[in-house]
Amino acid sequence: MRVALFPGDGIGPEVIAEAVRVLEVVCGDAIEYDIGLVGGTAYKQTGHPLPPETLEVARAADAILFGAVGDPDCDNLERALRPEQAILGLRKHLELFANLRPATLFKELADASTLRPEVAAQIDLMIIRESNGDVYFGEKGMRKTATGRREGYDIMSYNEDEVARIARVGFETARARRGKLCSVDKANVLETSQLWRDVVIEISAEFPDIELSHMYVDNAAMQLVRNPGQFDTIVTGNMFGDILSDQASMCAGSIGMLPSATLNASKQGLYEPIHGSAPDIAGTGKANPLATILSAAMMLRYSLGMAAEADRIERAVAKALENGARTADLGGKLSTSQMGDAVLAAL
Ligand code: NAD
């Protein structure tokens, strides 16, 4: 198997290093790695956040393990050259449209959640975020109003095929879980959302065994902290999913715990922690590598056909937590590499 490794910026290289240590123990020679430049690091060395060589490595790989991108030095560059374009570009070029973000509370971390432990203990949900369309990919720009005032605009749109394919991923995922799918939209205000809701209802005819419900995004944000246990699988658009999944992560303890997968139709996937490059802690050894280690486990399961190895990694993470291993974000003192050591010891 060929895995493209894109460490990126900030804490990206630090957390990727720990995931690779774990993969080397679990998979040995079964995986070969090709390293590529992305983000601010790539911009500084090549003049582009997603250079053509990196895209080539990505296309040739069975899966991509991605750290994070984002560099404050690059915040004033024109948008097309900013580090974040690397991730958007990979999603677009490889047609990675289905972003799967599980949020499960490891029982050992019940006290790290900002929710009351009995509420937090119920969290076991999967958020499926469409990641190839919506307002992030629409026409955007700055213009002047008739009175000469500055105006920014970003166009939100989905076509029915885009909604249908992500809806099917939602129904199939719910089928492999507890059989409940909640579609989140803002159909009371947005035409894009009205089409979303209509198409999800049409596709539901193919999945009569799945219990479908609909929720407005503002209510969903509230329900996620009020009673997260009511959710099994959530399917939603790119922007709403971006926000709700970060919220779910905090409910589950820390943003440093949550993995994600973004798949295309041929199940080639990009795997990454949901957090960013965390420039505030980069280089201090404070980053929690578990989200990236758990992303590597998802990669083994969804793209490389190594479910047993994925289970081993997830069990080792649970064991390390059970043994008391905690980085600073979880209220402990372990450094990034010490957390990696704890997972290796559990393996
Ligand atoms: P962030 O996720 O980088 O950080 C938010 C907060 O969480 C920070 O306080 C950070 O220290 C903490 N944090 C994040 N990951 C952690 C970890 N593994 N262990 C411990 N603490 C952790 O989000 P931000 O600060 O909004 O963004 C920073 C940069 O990352 C920006 O340039 C942004 O555009 C970029 N970003 C990239 C991605 C990506 O690569 N997919 C995702 C989100 C943000």
Side-chain angles (χ1 to χ4, degrees):
M1 295 290 174
R2 295 203 83 79
V3 167
L5 274 186
F6 296 161
D9 306 323
I11 63 170
E14 302 166 33
V15 292
I16 285 284
E18 299 312 311
V20 171
R21 285 170 75 203
V22 170
L23 283 171
E24 280 177 342
V25 169
V26 175
C27 305
D29 295 340
I31 298 180
E32 280 182 31
Y33 303 94
D34 294 310
I35 299 176
L37 293 172
V38 287
T41 315
Y43 173 77
K44 285 173 181 166
Q45 292 188 36
T46 71
H48 199 278
L50 182 61
E53 312 82 70
T54 299
L55 201 51
E56 233 165 80
V57 169
R59 285 193 206 280
D62 296 296
I64 301 158
L65 190 58
F66 191 97
V69 287
D71 178 343
D73 291 351
C74 299
D75 279 352
N76 293 323
L77 291 175
E78 65 173 277
R79 193 161 298 281
L81 295 179
R82 291 203 197 155
E84 292 77 4
Q85 293 303 316
I87 189 89
L88 297 178
L90 283 166
R91 284 182 190 149
K92 202 74 202 168
H93 286 292
L94 302 179
E95 276 207 66
L96 300 162
F97 70 92
N99 184 217
L100 275 57
R101 296 184 171 199
T104 310
L105 187 79
F106 284 91
K107 63 180 186 321
E108 297 77 16
L109 295 182
D111 54 356
S113 171
T114 46
L115 299 182
R116 286 201 310 276
E118 70 274 17
V119 178
Q122 306 164 1
I123 300 175
D124 179 8
L125 59 93
M126 177 76 89
I127 298 186
I128 297 170
R129 164 188 172 196
E130 200 288 331
S131 53
N132 229 197
D134 203 355
V135 65
Y136 294 174
F137 288 95
E139 189 196 324
K140 56 182 80 246
M142 292 281 185
R143 59 191 170 200
K144 285 269 167 74
T145 65
T147 55
R149 309 299 293 162
R150 286 173 302 160
E151 183 175 71
Y153 65 95
D154 304 84
I155 294 180
M156 171 184 265
S157 72
Y158 268 123
N159 69 47
E160 58 183 311
D161 298 329
E162 291 171 321
V163 181
R165 71 177 178 175
I166 193 73
R168 287 197 180 92
V169 175
F171 283 107
E172 281 159 10
T173 306
R175 187 175 268 167
R177 291 174 51 90
R178 299 193 297 279
K180 283 171 59 180
L181 181 66
C182 179
S183 169
V184 171
D185 61 36
K186 189 75 183 164
N188 50 344
V189 180
L190 301 172
E191 283 302 301
T192 311
S193 278
Q194 187 59 55
L195 176 83
W196 176 281
R197 187 173 287 214
D198 293 346
V199 174
V200 170
I201 291 170
E202 286 159 27
I203 299 296
S204 70
E206 299 169 21
F207 299 88
D209 52 319
I210 305 300
E211 185 188 320
L212 172 66
S213 60
H214 304 272
M215 199 177 273
Y216 295 136
V217 62
D218 42 346
N219 187 24
M222 180 187 59
Q223 297 295 337
L224 263 179
V225 287
R226 194 185 74 88
N227 176 17
Q230 70 185 285
F231 296 107
D232 170 16
T233 306
I234 292 175
V235 66
T236 190
N238 204 347
M239 180 164 67
F240 299 155
D242 189 6
I243 299 164
L244 291 181
S245 56
D246 268 24
Q247 186 184 347
S249 73
M250 203 49 231
C251 300
S254 162
I255 195 165
M257 288 300 302
L258 287 199
S260 78
T262 316
L263 308 177
N264 61 19
S266 53
K267 296 278 190 287
Q268 187 199 26
L270 183 149
Y271 297 83
E272 57 171 335
I274 76 159
H275 59 72
S277 58
D280 54 334
I281 58 166
T284 65
K286 283 193 184 145
N288 180 352
L290 292 183
T292 311
I293 292 172
L294 291 168
S295 299
M298 286 185 91
M299 173 178 84
L300 298 183
R301 178 172 295 117
Y302 289 103
S303 287
L304 304 187
M306 298 185 188
E309 287 83 353
D311 287 345
R312 264 191 84 195
I313 293 178
E314 285 163 359
R315 278 201 307 272
V317 167
K319 183 84 187 151
L321 292 170
E322 202 181 306
N323 293 341
R326 299 280 188 280
T327 38
D329 56 309
L330 301 174
K333 292 200 164 58
L334 291 192
S335 68
T336 310
S337 61
Q338 285 169 333
M339 185 56 113
D341 293 342
V343 175
L344 289 176
L347 272 171

